[in-house]
Amino acid sequence: MKLSKLAYNQVAQVKAIQGEELSLKLFEMGVLPGEEVELENIAPFGDPIAIRVGEYKMCLRLSDAECVEVTVIK
Amino acid sequence: MKQEITVALAGNPNSGKTSLFNALTGLNHKVSNFPGTTVDKKVGYCKLTSEIKAQIIDLPGTYSLYPKSTDELVTYDILRNKAETDFPDLVLFIADASNLKRNLLLLTQVADLGVPVILALNMVDLAERKGIFYDMDVLSETLNIPVVSINARNKKGIDQIKKLIANQSLHKKNTYLSLDNIDTKLLDEICEITDKKNAYAALQYAINVSSFATNRAKQVNAVFEKHNFKSKNFQENEILKRYHLIDEAVRAGKKERISSNTSRVGNCLVFKHFVFSVSSNFFVERIPYAVGRAWV
Ligand SMILES: Nc1nc2c(ncn2[C@@H]2O[C@H](COP(=O)(O)OP(=O)(O)OP(=O)(O)O)[C@@H](O)[C@H]2O)c(=O)[nH]1
Ligand SMILES: [Mg+2]
């Protein structure tokens, strides 16, 4: 499933990120394969979204979140 | 022993570098909760002992040594060029303890450039509110560098930092990323073109210039091609390896703190309330940032 489709109260695990530039950028920010992610907040009009990655939070454009493949674990 | 030590303050955006700079130098530069406040380097002085003083350089915050904007470039210029007069003797790295893993990525990169690093663990109050506690001795041991816990805003731990800066016998170079799997011929050629002795510094610099339309970039790209070196693959691998190492250090450095006089239920409620308020704050603060800077 795509990270952009994650609902509140769902916990997922990052599987893969599409695109060389984006995956490098997100890796640097700690969005790594195996890391736990959770939806924290959605901005008005739905973009960007705030997610929790491990123990911290960050914002992500929806278009970037669409490139992150996750598996729901909870 | 040097009488004047040049110290660069490095770290992620919004980790408290300018607050610490002000606490050390007595100057009053702009501190704010908006990441990217410092966009140029600033210099001040700090008396450490009756004989030794430090020149402190406040650098703009960045997440990694592969810059995406010009103010991030300033950080690298001074850290990678040993010929520059203000090449630091020491990097004082400020990390946000509530977000330690991501902060340590840059620390390991900076150390690999061949400059001694000491770690000031800041925002410990925020980490503790999230229920995260660190053992400084274990962190220091696993990362193999001196570590002090500070509160840059309340000026706690400043004397300890000054002592560490003055104690030059503790400043040692450290290597985190092994380049053993990289063709030594490639590394030799890159060191030669970039005129650097440190292989990681040379490679990192070469990767950064390779995307520009300059003669240096052409040279670099020719060497990369000759050795079939894919910079993006290298970078991805580099980041994953660094995080692997950081994960272990952070996990080892975490302390369990069981509260004795509050009931479990009570803790839980407090914690939930906190998470809610933090995430809404976070959101307001970070949106301009995410849109304006991190994703350009
Ligand atoms: N709770 C808490 N807040 C702190 C601490 N240290 C600094 N701050 C606050 O964190 C914010 C950022 O501090 P700065 O010193 O501007 O951070 P910086 O690293 O210089 O930021 P940039 O220059 O934007 O990269 C300010 O609002 C500080 O008051 C700390 O130990 N605990
Ligand atoms: Mg600053």
Side-chain angles (χ1 to χ4, degrees):
Chain A
M1 177 173 108
K2 286 175 176 156
L3 177 58
S4 53
K5 296 277 184 284
L6 204 64
Y8 286 118
N9 298 322
Q10 268 185 322
V11 182
Q13 215 171 28
V14 176
K15 255 172 60 185
I17 302 169
Q18 281 161 22
E20 263 185 353
E21 284 296 325
L22 183 69
S23 61
L24 192 58
K25 177 91 225 178
L26 290 181
F27 280 8
E28 282 180 353
M29 304 296 287
V31 185
L32 305 162
E35 202 71 53
E36 234 182 64
V37 285
E38 208 176 345
L39 179 64
E40 284 282 333
N41 230 323
I42 304 175
F45 308 113
D47 192 12
I49 60 170
I51 57 166
R52 173 183 69 81
V53 186
E55 57 199 24
Y56 54 89
K57 293 162 188 127
M58 63 179 283
C59 277
L60 209 57
R61 285 184 192 146
L62 208 59
S63 59
D64 290 342
E66 274 167 12
C67 301
V68 181
E69 190 67 31
V70 299
T71 323
V72 177
I73 52 173
K74 255 185 264 173
Chain B
M1 232 179 45
K2 280 201 175 187
Q3 303 299 298
E4 187 179 315
I5 308 171
T6 303
V7 181
L9 285 179
N12 283 187
N14 219 28
S15 57
K17 296 173 298 301
T18 302
S19 304
L20 182 55
F21 175 86
N22 289 344
L24 286 170
T25 61
L27 293 173
N28 199 8
H29 282 302
K30 190 168 180 216
V31 170
S32 85
N33 212 338
F34 188 77
T37 309
T38 308
V39 290
D40 215 344
K41 68 176 197 222
K42 303 212 167 60
V43 180
Y45 289 87
C46 164
K47 199 171 163 183
L48 301 172
T49 67
S50 52
E51 285 112 58
I52 310 173
K53 68 172 182 173
Q55 183 194 35
I56 315 273
I57 306 170
D58 183 22
L59 297 173
T62 178
Y63 292 113
S64 135
L65 277 190
Y66 300 107
K68 273 111 202 155
S69 68
T70 46
D71 56 311
E72 287 180 305
L73 271 169
V74 178
T75 316
Y76 314 111
D77 271 349
I78 115 156
L79 289 182
R80 73 180 165 220
N81 196 353
K82 288 209 169 144
E84 268 200 44
T85 46
D86 56 359
F87 184 84
D89 299 303
L90 177 70
V91 166
L92 175 52
F93 193 93
I94 321 234
D96 174 351
S98 71
N99 192 350
L100 189 56
K101 276 203 244 168
R102 197 192 62 203
N103 282 248
L104 291 181
L105 175 70
L106 180 65
L107 181 146
T108 65
Q109 287 183 322
V110 167
D112 284 342
L113 292 179
V115 55
V117 177
I118 62 181
L119 170 61
L121 202 62
N122 197 32
M123 313 264 181
V124 175
D125 53 327
L126 295 186
E128 291 185 353
R129 274 204 270 161
K130 281 209 229 169
I132 305 167
F133 298 85
Y134 288 109
D135 185 321
M136 301 305 139
D137 295 334
V138 178
L139 279 182
S140 170
E141 204 175 296
T142 49
L143 293 168
N144 201 22
I145 48 171
V147 182
V148 214
S149 138
I150 64 162
N151 185 318
R153 181 152 67 183
N154 302 344
K155 301 190 171 34
K156 273 194 205 135
I158 305 302
D159 286 340
Q160 253 180 300
I161 295 259
K162 286 187 185 171
K163 277 190 200 134
L164 267 185
I165 298 174
N167 192 344
Q168 291 164 68
S169 63
L170 293 176
H171 307 166
K172 50 181 194 280
K173 291 180 190 164
N174 216 346
T175 312
Y176 292 102
L177 182 78
S178 151
L179 295 175
D180 286 353
N181 58 332
I182 310 292
D183 188 348
T184 47
K185 286 200 200 88
L186 165 86
L187 293 178
D188 289 346
E189 283 177 47
I190 291 296
C191 284
E192 205 181 305
I193 309 180
T194 58
D195 196 22
K196 288 182 201 313
K197 291 201 180 70
N198 176 308
Y200 177 71
L203 198 54
Q204 181 266 128
Y205 175 71
I207 290 172
N208 282 334
V209 299
S210 70
S211 56
F212 299 130
T214 59
N215 280 337
R216 176 68 60 85
K218 270 187 215 146
Q219 272 181 304
V220 164
N221 285 319
V223 175
F224 281 177
E225 248 163 63
K226 181 170 133 198
H227 295 277
N228 198 19
F229 176 80
K230 302 268 183 289
S231 60
K232 284 281 177 301
N233 287 355
F234 168 79
Q235 286 173 280
E236 265 192 35
N237 228 309
E238 170 188 343
I239 308 290
L240 292 177
K241 277 192 191 160
R242 289 187 188 280
Y243 269 118
H244 186 71
L245 200 142
I246 290 166
D247 250 340
E248 280 175 13
V250 167
R251 200 173 306 142
K254 267 193 189 150
K255 274 198 295 208
E256 288 302 322
R257 173 84 59 103
I258 313 279
S259 170
S260 51
N261 46 15
T262 338
S263 72
R264 268 242 122 100
V265 180
N267 272 340
C268 241
L269 285 174
V270 170
F271 187 65
K272 271 204 172 139
H273 174 71
F274 174 70
V275 167
F276 174 74
S277 64
V278 162
S279 53
S280 40
N281 275 344
F282 164 86
F283 205 50
V284 176
E285 282 164 27
R286 302 290 155 136
I287 284 180
Y289 165 58
V291 173
R293 179 166 156 167
W295 307 110
V296 286

PDB file of all heavy atoms in Angstrom, chain B residues 53-76:
ATOM      1  N   LYS B  53      41.825  30.307  24.486  1.00  0.00           N
ATOM      2  CA  LYS B  53      40.513  30.785  24.063  1.00  0.00           C
ATOM      3  C   LYS B  53      40.074  30.047  22.806  1.00  0.00           C
ATOM      4  O   LYS B  53      40.874  29.407  22.129  1.00  0.00           O
ATOM      5  CB  LYS B  53      40.511  32.296  23.857  1.00  0.00           C
ATOM      6  CG  LYS B  53      41.327  32.794  22.700  1.00  0.00           C
ATOM      7  CD  LYS B  53      41.072  34.296  22.509  1.00  0.00           C
ATOM      8  CE  LYS B  53      41.851  34.812  21.322  1.00  0.00           C
ATOM      9  NZ  LYS B  53      41.538  36.188  20.985  1.00  0.00           N
ATOM     10  N   ALA B  54      38.798  30.130  22.527  1.00  0.00           N
ATOM     11  CA  ALA B  54      38.269  29.441  21.352  1.00  0.00           C
ATOM     12  C   ALA B  54      37.617  30.444  20.421  1.00  0.00           C
ATOM     13  O   ALA B  54      36.978  31.394  20.861  1.00  0.00           O
ATOM     14  CB  ALA B  54      37.251  28.390  21.777  1.00  0.00           C
ATOM     15  N   GLN B  55      37.847  30.219  19.128  1.00  0.00           N
ATOM     16  CA  GLN B  55      37.106  30.976  18.125  1.00  0.00           C
ATOM     17  C   GLN B  55      35.940  30.066  17.740  1.00  0.00           C
ATOM     18  O   GLN B  55      36.143  28.924  17.327  1.00  0.00           O
ATOM     19  CB  GLN B  55      38.004  31.225  16.904  1.00  0.00           C
ATOM     20  CG  GLN B  55      37.311  32.073  15.860  1.00  0.00           C
ATOM     21  CD  GLN B  55      38.030  32.062  14.521  1.00  0.00           C
ATOM     22  OE1 GLN B  55      38.608  31.048  14.110  1.00  0.00           O
ATOM     23  NE2 GLN B  55      38.004  33.178  13.840  1.00  0.00           N
ATOM     24  N   ILE B  56      34.727  30.567  17.920  1.00  0.00           N
ATOM     25  CA  ILE B  56      33.553  29.732  17.675  1.00  0.00           C
ATOM     26  C   ILE B  56      32.873  30.170  16.381  1.00  0.00           C
ATOM     27  O   ILE B  56      32.592  31.355  16.190  1.00  0.00           O
ATOM     28  CB  ILE B  56      32.527  29.859  18.822  1.00  0.00           C
ATOM     29  CG1 ILE B  56      33.210  29.792  20.195  1.00  0.00           C
ATOM     30  CG2 ILE B  56      31.420  28.826  18.678  1.00  0.00           C
ATOM     31  CD1 ILE B  56      33.410  28.429  20.760  1.00  0.00           C
ATOM     32  N   ILE B  57      32.621  29.219  15.504  1.00  0.00           N
ATOM     33  CA  ILE B  57      31.943  29.527  14.244  1.00  0.00           C
ATOM     34  C   ILE B  57      30.571  28.863  14.249  1.00  0.00           C
ATOM     35  O   ILE B  57      30.466  27.641  14.396  1.00  0.00           O
ATOM     36  CB  ILE B  57      32.764  29.010  13.042  1.00  0.00           C
ATOM     37  CG1 ILE B  57      34.192  29.548  13.123  1.00  0.00           C
ATOM     38  CG2 ILE B  57      32.117  29.422  11.721  1.00  0.00           C
ATOM     39  CD1 ILE B  57      35.138  28.916  12.123  1.00  0.00           C
ATOM     40  N   ASP B  58      29.539  29.660  14.123  1.00  0.00           N
ATOM     41  CA  ASP B  58      28.164  29.149  14.091  1.00  0.00           C
ATOM     42  C   ASP B  58      27.795  28.876  12.631  1.00  0.00           C
ATOM     43  O   ASP B  58      27.824  29.783  11.804  1.00  0.00           O
ATOM     44  CB  ASP B  58      27.223  30.212  14.688  1.00  0.00           C
ATOM     45  CG  ASP B  58      25.775  29.733  14.773  1.00  0.00           C
ATOM     46  OD1 ASP B  58      25.534  28.513  14.787  1.00  0.00           O
ATOM     47  OD2 ASP B  58      24.882  30.605  14.842  1.00  0.00           O
ATOM     48  N   LEU B  59      27.489  27.637  12.328  1.00  0.00           N
ATOM     49  CA  LEU B  59      27.177  27.290  10.939  1.00  0.00           C
ATOM     50  C   LEU B  59      25.677  27.095  10.737  1.00  0.00           C
ATOM     51  O   LEU B  59      24.964  26.782  11.686  1.00  0.00           O
ATOM     52  CB  LEU B  59      27.882  25.987  10.556  1.00  0.00           C
ATOM     53  CG  LEU B  59      29.405  26.006  10.569  1.00  0.00           C
ATOM     54  CD1 LEU B  59      29.943  24.613  10.345  1.00  0.00           C
ATOM     55  CD2 LEU B  59      29.930  26.949   9.504  1.00  0.00           C
ATOM     56  N   PRO B  60      25.213  27.253   9.507  1.00  0.00           N
ATOM     57  CA  PRO B  60      23.799  26.959   9.256  1.00  0.00           C
ATOM     58  C   PRO B  60      23.544  25.474   9.442  1.00  0.00           C
ATOM     59  O   PRO B  60      24.436  24.655   9.240  1.00  0.00           O
ATOM     60  CB  PRO B  60      23.614  27.341   7.784  1.00  0.00           C
ATOM     61  CG  PRO B  60      24.834  28.072   7.382  1.00  0.00           C
ATOM     62  CD  PRO B  60      25.940  27.645   8.295  1.00  0.00           C
ATOM     63  N   GLY B  61      22.336  25.133   9.819  1.00  0.00           N
ATOM     64  CA  GLY B  61      21.998  23.722  10.031  1.00  0.00           C
ATOM     65  C   GLY B  61      21.810  22.990   8.717  1.00  0.00           C
ATOM     66  O   GLY B  61      21.446  23.571   7.704  1.00  0.00           O
ATOM     67  N   THR B  62      22.086  21.699   8.742  1.00  0.00           N
ATOM     68  CA  THR B  62      21.877  20.881   7.547  1.00  0.00           C
ATOM     69  C   THR B  62      21.602  19.445   7.990  1.00  0.00           C
ATOM     70  O   THR B  62      21.912  19.076   9.111  1.00  0.00           O
ATOM     71  CB  THR B  62      23.114  20.943   6.629  1.00  0.00           C
ATOM     72  OG1 THR B  62      22.899  20.106   5.520  1.00  0.00           O
ATOM     73  CG2 THR B  62      24.363  20.475   7.346  1.00  0.00           C
ATOM     74  N   TYR B  63      21.021  18.655   7.113  1.00  0.00           N
ATOM     75  CA  TYR B  63      20.730  17.267   7.471  1.00  0.00           C
ATOM     76  C   TYR B  63      21.813  16.300   7.023  1.00  0.00           C
ATOM     77  O   TYR B  63      21.937  15.212   7.544  1.00  0.00           O
ATOM     78  CB  TYR B  63      19.394  16.818   6.868  1.00  0.00           C
ATOM     79  CG  TYR B  63      18.219  17.512   7.486  1.00  0.00           C
ATOM     80  CD1 TYR B  63      17.434  18.397   6.766  1.00  0.00           C
ATOM     81  CD2 TYR B  63      17.915  17.293   8.825  1.00  0.00           C
ATOM     82  CE1 TYR B  63      16.366  19.051   7.350  1.00  0.00           C
ATOM     83  CE2 TYR B  63      16.852  17.938   9.424  1.00  0.00           C
ATOM     84  CZ  TYR B  63      16.079  18.813   8.677  1.00  0.00           C
ATOM     85  OH  TYR B  63      15.031  19.449   9.278  1.00  0.00           O
ATOM     86  N   SER B  64      22.549  16.706   5.993  1.00  0.00           N
ATOM     87  CA  SER B  64      23.503  15.759   5.440  1.00  0.00           C
ATOM     88  C   SER B  64      24.614  16.508   4.718  1.00  0.00           C
ATOM     89  O   SER B  64      24.520  17.706   4.463  1.00  0.00           O
ATOM     90  CB  SER B  64      22.761  14.817   4.493  1.00  0.00           C
ATOM     91  OG  SER B  64      23.457  14.615   3.298  1.00  0.00           O
ATOM     92  N   LEU B  65      25.681  15.810   4.404  1.00  0.00           N
ATOM     93  CA  LEU B  65      26.792  16.452   3.701  1.00  0.00           C
ATOM     94  C   LEU B  65      26.564  16.547   2.199  1.00  0.00           C
ATOM     95  O   LEU B  65      27.450  16.959   1.473  1.00  0.00           O
ATOM     96  CB  LEU B  65      28.082  15.674   3.950  1.00  0.00           C
ATOM     97  CG  LEU B  65      28.841  15.972   5.243  1.00  0.00           C
ATOM     98  CD1 LEU B  65      30.195  15.292   5.205  1.00  0.00           C
ATOM     99  CD2 LEU B  65      29.030  17.466   5.437  1.00  0.00           C
ATOM    100  N   TYR B  66      25.402  16.116   1.744  1.00  0.00           N
ATOM    101  CA  TYR B  66      25.089  16.288   0.331  1.00  0.00           C
ATOM    102  C   TYR B  66      24.078  17.416   0.225  1.00  0.00           C
ATOM    103  O   TYR B  66      22.879  17.195   0.379  1.00  0.00           O
ATOM    104  CB  TYR B  66      24.557  14.975  -0.254  1.00  0.00           C
ATOM    105  CG  TYR B  66      25.566  13.862  -0.132  1.00  0.00           C
ATOM    106  CD1 TYR B  66      25.398  12.833   0.786  1.00  0.00           C
ATOM    107  CD2 TYR B  66      26.724  13.870  -0.911  1.00  0.00           C
ATOM    108  CE1 TYR B  66      26.347  11.830   0.918  1.00  0.00           C
ATOM    109  CE2 TYR B  66      27.676  12.877  -0.779  1.00  0.00           C
ATOM    110  CZ  TYR B  66      27.482  11.857   0.136  1.00  0.00           C
ATOM    111  OH  TYR B  66      28.423  10.868   0.281  1.00  0.00           O
ATOM    112  N   PRO B  67      24.570  18.638   0.027  1.00  0.00           N
ATOM    113  CA  PRO B  67      23.708  19.813   0.175  1.00  0.00           C
ATOM    114  C   PRO B  67      22.693  19.958  -0.950  1.00  0.00           C
ATOM    115  O   PRO B  67      22.906  19.491  -2.052  1.00  0.00           O
ATOM    116  CB  PRO B  67      24.696  20.973   0.128  1.00  0.00           C
ATOM    117  CG  PRO B  67      25.833  20.474  -0.661  1.00  0.00           C
ATOM    118  CD  PRO B  67      25.934  19.004  -0.384  1.00  0.00           C
ATOM    119  N   LYS B  68      21.579  20.561  -0.577  1.00  0.00           N
ATOM    120  CA  LYS B  68      20.546  20.813  -1.565  1.00  0.00           C
ATOM    121  C   LYS B  68      20.318  22.305  -1.753  1.00  0.00           C
ATOM    122  O   LYS B  68      19.545  22.715  -2.588  1.00  0.00           O
ATOM    123  CB  LYS B  68      19.227  20.154  -1.144  1.00  0.00           C
ATOM    124  CG  LYS B  68      19.138  18.725  -1.601  1.00  0.00           C
ATOM    125  CD  LYS B  68      19.203  17.768  -0.454  1.00  0.00           C
ATOM    126  CE  LYS B  68      19.651  16.388  -0.907  1.00  0.00           C
ATOM    127  NZ  LYS B  68      20.274  15.644   0.195  1.00  0.00           N
ATOM    128  N   SER B  69      20.966  23.149  -0.932  1.00  0.00           N
ATOM    129  CA  SER B  69      20.787  24.584  -1.123  1.00  0.00           C
ATOM    130  C   SER B  69      22.092  25.301  -0.813  1.00  0.00           C
ATOM    131  O   SER B  69      23.013  24.718  -0.245  1.00  0.00           O
ATOM    132  CB  SER B  69      19.669  25.099  -0.210  1.00  0.00           C
ATOM    133  OG  SER B  69      20.084  25.009   1.129  1.00  0.00           O
ATOM    134  N   THR B  70      22.165  26.588  -1.188  1.00  0.00           N
ATOM    135  CA  THR B  70      23.441  27.298  -1.079  1.00  0.00           C
ATOM    136  C   THR B  70      23.883  27.528   0.356  1.00  0.00           C
ATOM    137  O   THR B  70      25.063  27.460   0.651  1.00  0.00           O
ATOM    138  CB  THR B  70      23.390  28.668  -1.792  1.00  0.00           C
ATOM    139  OG1 THR B  70      22.180  29.289  -1.401  1.00  0.00           O
ATOM    140  CG2 THR B  70      23.471  28.521  -3.278  1.00  0.00           C
ATOM    141  N   ASP B  71      22.926  27.769   1.282  1.00  0.00           N
ATOM    142  CA  ASP B  71      23.392  27.974   2.660  1.00  0.00           C
ATOM    143  C   ASP B  71      23.955  26.689   3.229  1.00  0.00           C
ATOM    144  O   ASP B  71      24.830  26.688   4.076  1.00  0.00           O
ATOM    145  CB  ASP B  71      22.326  28.594   3.569  1.00  0.00           C
ATOM    146  CG  ASP B  71      21.040  27.807   3.607  1.00  0.00           C
ATOM    147  OD1 ASP B  71      20.553  27.471   2.519  1.00  0.00           O
ATOM    148  OD2 ASP B  71      20.520  27.564   4.707  1.00  0.00           O
ATOM    149  N   GLU B  72      23.466  25.560   2.712  1.00  0.00           N
ATOM    150  CA  GLU B  72      24.052  24.300   3.152  1.00  0.00           C
ATOM    151  C   GLU B  72      25.480  24.183   2.620  1.00  0.00           C
ATOM    152  O   GLU B  72      26.337  23.604   3.258  1.00  0.00           O
ATOM    153  CB  GLU B  72      23.201  23.125   2.669  1.00  0.00           C
ATOM    154  CG  GLU B  72      21.896  22.984   3.438  1.00  0.00           C
ATOM    155  CD  GLU B  72      21.057  21.819   2.945  1.00  0.00           C
ATOM    156  OE1 GLU B  72      20.768  21.769   1.736  1.00  0.00           O
ATOM    157  OE2 GLU B  72      20.695  20.977   3.749  1.00  0.00           O
ATOM    158  N   LEU B  73      25.714  24.765   1.450  1.00  0.00           N
ATOM    159  CA  LEU B  73      27.056  24.712   0.869  1.00  0.00           C
ATOM    160  C   LEU B  73      28.098  25.379   1.761  1.00  0.00           C
ATOM    161  O   LEU B  73      29.235  24.930   1.837  1.00  0.00           O
ATOM    162  CB  LEU B  73      27.067  25.374  -0.513  1.00  0.00           C
ATOM    163  CG  LEU B  73      26.750  24.465  -1.693  1.00  0.00           C
ATOM    164  CD1 LEU B  73      26.528  25.279  -2.947  1.00  0.00           C
ATOM    165  CD2 LEU B  73      27.850  23.440  -1.905  1.00  0.00           C
ATOM    166  N   VAL B  74      27.720  26.468   2.443  1.00  0.00           N
ATOM    167  CA  VAL B  74      28.648  27.168   3.328  1.00  0.00           C
ATOM    168  C   VAL B  74      29.223  26.196   4.356  1.00  0.00           C
ATOM    169  O   VAL B  74      30.417  26.203   4.645  1.00  0.00           O
ATOM    170  CB  VAL B  74      27.951  28.339   4.069  1.00  0.00           C
ATOM    171  CG1 VAL B  74      28.917  29.035   5.022  1.00  0.00           C
ATOM    172  CG2 VAL B  74      27.392  29.328   3.072  1.00  0.00           C
ATOM    173  N   THR B  75      28.369  25.344   4.883  1.00  0.00           N
ATOM    174  CA  THR B  75      28.786  24.377   5.896  1.00  0.00           C
ATOM    175  C   THR B  75      29.912  23.500   5.388  1.00  0.00           C
ATOM    176  O   THR B  75      30.902  23.265   6.052  1.00  0.00           O
ATOM    177  CB  THR B  75      27.608  23.451   6.273  1.00  0.00           C
ATOM    178  OG1 THR B  75      26.455  24.245   6.428  1.00  0.00           O
ATOM    179  CG2 THR B  75      27.887  22.708   7.555  1.00  0.00           C
ATOM    180  N   TYR B  76      29.740  23.033   4.178  1.00  0.00           N
ATOM    181  CA  TYR B  76      30.737  22.103   3.631  1.00  0.00           C
ATOM    182  C   TYR B  76      32.000  22.788   3.262  1.00  0.00           C
ATOM    183  O   TYR B  76      33.076  22.231   3.446  1.00  0.00           O
ATOM    184  CB  TYR B  76      30.158  21.406   2.404  1.00  0.00           C
ATOM    185  CG  TYR B  76      28.822  20.973   2.754  1.00  0.00           C
ATOM    186  CD1 TYR B  76      27.717  21.555   2.187  1.00  0.00           C
ATOM    187  CD2 TYR B  76      28.687  20.094   3.818  1.00  0.00           C
ATOM    188  CE1 TYR B  76      26.494  21.233   2.647  1.00  0.00           C
ATOM    189  CE2 TYR B  76      27.450  19.786   4.270  1.00  0.00           C
ATOM    190  CZ  TYR B  76      26.370  20.342   3.685  1.00  0.00           C
ATOM    191  OH  TYR B  76      25.156  20.042   4.140  1.00  0.00           O
TER     192      TYR B  76
END
